[in-house]
Amino acid sequence: MLKLKLNSKKTIKLNTSSRVFAPTQTTHYLLSAIKDNIDKKKKLDVIDMGCGNGVLGISLLKIFNNINKMIFTDISIESLRDCEKNMKKNNLEKKSYELIISNVFQRISSQKFDVIINDISGISELVAKISPWFNKVSCESGKNGTKLTMNFLKRYKKYLNKKGKVFFPIISLCNEKIIFNYLKKNNIKYSVILEKNWPMPKSMIKHKNLLKKFKTKRYINFKEQFGLLIANTKIIYLH
């Protein structure tokens, strides 16, 4: 069981099965950025895409009282089962929420949202295969890690209410240049509202030569400092 402290008064408890993606430091960065930039008064319809065990949506439901409805989506039925269990574990089963099996927007109807959170896989699937993060969890984001993010960016406007907000991470373990070029080419206004460097797990050091090959091919990017492999996460806000 995982425990996540949200503030001085609130903590959530989360169960995650072996086939469900567990929260990482990027999840914490994303939650921190959303908390600081979400509308705290207006009634909000929110979608948590790539919800995993529900950590982001459940955290927001615990912190804010103005969320009218929360939609949890994931391609994994195991994730949605864990999410529903965690809703009950945190006494949120009476909140208005819905669980939808969906690959990005594939099974989302004509609903529109005030807040769209995209935490769908955003690293190279080549890296995912050798990482500890995706143990028994599938990753179909392509060699350069941008496949699902680009799918999202090409379609999100259809599902966003006027003056709605979009939050998603860009991790340097993908070809982030492709994403930024797309945003600029299509005049999509964005801000980097949080940026953090972080060391990859020590277990990744044994794959350093392979990671260097991926970097040379521009699938990913990272730095080496003090014997560590350093990646970067940027939290993007579209407006």
Side-chain angles (χ1 to χ4, degrees):
M1 181 187 295
L2 301 172
K3 287 187 178 181
L4 178 62
K5 189 173 183 179
L6 303 178
N7 53 40
S8 59
K9 297 181 179 180
K10 296 180 180 180
T11 300
I12 61 171
K13 299 176 182 180
L14 299 165
N15 280 339
T16 298
S17 61
S18 62
R19 296 181 64 83
V20 174
F21 190 82
T24 64
Q25 193 60 49
T26 290
T27 307
H28 292 281
Y29 297 152
L30 186 53
L31 176 59
S32 176
I34 294 169
K35 285 194 302 183
D36 291 340
N37 290 277
I38 200 171
D39 193 320
K40 299 172 179 62
K41 295 181 180 180
K42 176 186 173 183
K43 290 289 184 181
L44 301 174
D45 287 341
V46 182
I47 183 167
D48 178 5
M49 306 187 71
C51 65
N53 64 10
V55 55
L56 289 172
I58 288 171
S59 297
L60 294 176
L61 286 169
K62 291 289 281 189
I63 297 169
F64 299 106
N65 294 320
N66 62 316
I67 296 178
N68 182 56
K69 186 173 185 179
M70 178 71 68
I71 305 292
F72 296 94
T73 77
D74 203 288
I75 198 170
S76 161
I77 185 64
E78 290 94 342
S79 293
L80 295 178
R81 285 171 180 161
D82 273 2
C83 181
E84 187 161 37
K85 290 176 183 176
N86 288 328
M87 286 287 288
K88 294 177 181 178
K89 183 178 290 294
N90 290 280
N91 301 312
L92 293 169
E93 65 268 30
K94 292 183 180 179
K95 294 283 187 178
S96 179
Y97 73 99
E98 187 177 354
L99 307 170
I100 302 175
I101 300 175
S102 183
N103 183 358
V104 193
F105 290 109
Q106 185 181 31
R107 295 186 178 177
I108 308 302
S109 62
S110 57
Q111 299 176 75
K112 287 182 179 285
F113 302 93
D114 303 294
V115 177
I116 298 178
I117 303 165
N118 173 14
D119 197 19
I120 299 169
S121 302
I123 72 170
S124 166
E125 62 185 37
L126 300 175
V127 175
K129 288 177 181 178
I130 59 175
S131 80
W133 309 304
F134 286 83
N135 183 28
K136 297 182 181 180
V137 180
S138 65
C139 177
E140 299 179 2
S141 53
K143 288 184 177 180
N144 64 25
T146 67
K147 180 180 176 181
L148 298 176
T149 300
M150 293 302 296
N151 186 342
F152 171 82
L153 289 175
K154 291 173 181 178
R155 301 170 66 189
Y156 80 91
K157 289 183 179 180
K158 177 181 176 182
Y159 302 91
L160 189 66
N161 278 329
K162 187 176 181 180
K163 297 185 179 180
K165 298 181 178 182
V166 176
F167 301 92
F168 70 98
I170 296 179
I171 304 170
S172 65
L173 299 179
C174 77
N175 187 333
E176 56 187 318
K177 187 175 181 180
I178 291 174
I179 300 171
F180 283 115
N181 284 345
Y182 180 84
L183 294 173
K184 292 172 184 176
K185 182 179 178 180
N186 290 276
N187 297 314
I188 299 173
K189 294 182 180 179
Y190 71 91
S191 299
V192 178
I193 55 177
L194 186 150
E195 182 172 2
K196 295 283 187 178
N197 293 326
W198 48 274
M200 291 189 225
K202 291 183 178 179
S203 62
M204 295 292 281
I205 294 175
K206 65 184 178 183
H207 301 294
K208 182 169 72 171
N209 290 336
L210 183 58
L211 291 168
K212 283 183 176 180
K213 289 181 180 179
F214 297 160
K215 182 178 179 179
T216 299
K217 292 183 178 181
R218 299 183 182 178
Y219 295 154
I220 65 172
N221 195 17
F222 64 91
K223 297 179 181 179
E224 295 182 66
Q225 293 179 345
F226 311 112
L228 298 173
L229 307 179
I230 307 298
N232 173 275
T233 293
K234 300 176 182 69
I235 305 301
I236 308 299
Y237 162 46
L238 302 184
H239 50 89

